[in-house]
Amino acid sequence: MKRSCIVIIAWLMAVVCLHAQNTITVKDAQTLRLLENVVITNADKTASVTTNAKGQADISALGNGDLTLILAGYQPLTLSAQNIKDL
C-alpha cells in the first residue's frame, strides 16, 4: 500500500500519514510513538473523529476544509485536509 507522510512542525512535532482512502495515522515525530485519542475537528467544529490505539482515524466525514488536531501535551495544529490528501 502506498503511504505518503508529512512532517508537522509545531510546539512538539507530529507525523501524519495518509493511507488508502482517508485514514490518517498520527505519530510523535521525535519518538514515532502512535498517538491515541487525538481529536481531529473540521473548521466549524461540527464534526470530529478521534484516533484509535493505532493512532488512526478516518477523516472522510470531515470534508476538505481545514482540520485541527488536538491532544493534551501538544500544541493544537491546523492543517488543510486537501494538503494531507494530496500527499
Side-chain angles (χ1 to χ4, degrees):
M1 170 178 25
K2 182 179 176 182
R3 291 176 43 180
S4 299
C5 296
I6 61 172
V7 176
I8 311 308
I9 300 175
W11 179 59
L12 291 177
M13 295 186 294
V15 176
V16 178
C17 300
L18 181 65
H19 302 283
Q21 299 174 351
N22 291 320
T23 300
I24 64 169
T25 300
V26 182
K27 299 179 184 181
D28 183 289
Q30 293 177 345
T31 65
L32 299 180
R33 185 180 67 114
L34 298 170
L35 296 178
E36 182 178 8
N37 297 320
V38 176
V39 177
I40 305 166
T41 63
N42 60 1
D44 58 6
K45 297 187 183 345
T46 57
S48 67
V49 296
T50 303
T51 57
N52 62 20
K54 296 180 181 180
Q56 298 176 335
D58 182 351
I59 61 169
S60 59
L62 301 180
N64 289 322
D66 288 345
L67 301 179
T68 300
L69 289 78
I70 303 167
L71 181 63
Y74 290 80
Q75 177 121 356
L77 181 62
T78 301
L79 303 169
S80 163
Q82 192 58 50
N83 286 343
I84 294 171
K85 292 175 185 178
D86 286 345
L87 293 175

